[in-house]
Amino acid sequence: MSVFSTTLPTLRQSLAKLVDDYLVGTADASTTTTSIKDDFLTPFNDDHFNGWEACGYALTNTPTAIITDFVKSTGVATLASIITGMASGVGYELHDIKQKWSKTQYDSAINQAINYLALITLIDKADVTLAILASTYE
């Protein structure tokens, strides 16, 4: 019997893809803790990602920040707050929190689904052993 195992970022990205809120990339050179540069983003118009949530999923605790400015010509998204560890080569995902859900909401939905299914599909382990004591007489 095989065991299915996956990570929370993979589940979150799969769910986001199903609701058309899926944009994942890898930061290019010149990325800092307060900006993400990715040439993959240059087809989008200026300010397209303003108000979106950026999530550095390859980082400890998967930090997030809101994008305050996006420049098409450079492919640079400026972040409202620092994402510690954000640098070239770090994976990230973007979510349009105005239209869809945030990272926290995706994670919560996944965890609720897991907890609900655990109640339905997992069988309680019951101890059905019978303890027999030695014969005792008065």
Side-chain angles (χ1 to χ4, degrees):
M1 180 176 157
S2 65
V3 175
F4 181 76
S5 177
T6 190
T7 63
L8 185 59
T10 302
L11 289 172
R12 183 175 53 248
Q13 291 165 14
S14 297
L15 180 58
K17 187 175 185 179
L18 290 172
V19 296
D20 196 28
D21 184 31
Y22 180 72
L23 192 67
V24 175
T26 303
D28 292 344
S30 302
T31 293
T32 67
T33 58
T34 57
S35 68
I36 297 174
K37 181 184 183 334
D38 190 350
D39 289 337
F40 171 73
L41 301 176
T42 56
F44 297 94
N45 294 327
D46 283 341
D47 300 329
H48 178 81
F49 298 107
N50 291 5
W52 285 43
E53 180 182 56
C55 173
Y57 69 82
L59 304 173
T60 304
N61 298 326
T62 319
T64 62
I66 302 299
I67 297 173
T68 58
D69 188 39
F70 173 71
V71 179
K72 172 187 175 69
S73 61
T74 59
V76 173
T78 304
L79 306 175
S81 59
I82 291 174
I83 293 183
T84 304
M86 197 67 203
S88 177
V90 173
Y92 68 88
E93 56 191 78
L94 302 179
H95 299 286
D96 185 1
I97 59 176
K98 296 175 288 188
Q99 302 296 320
K100 304 287 182 184
W101 300 299
S102 69
K103 174 206 166 286
T104 303
Q105 290 171 313
Y106 280 115
D107 291 350
S108 178
I110 291 165
N111 287 328
Q112 286 178 11
I114 291 168
N115 289 336
Y116 178 73
L117 288 173
L119 293 173
I120 295 172
T121 60
L122 298 180
I123 300 170
D124 289 336
K125 183 177 178 183
D127 184 4
V128 293
T129 57
L130 177 62
I132 301 176
L133 298 175
S135 299
T136 53
Y137 298 96
E138 288 188 25

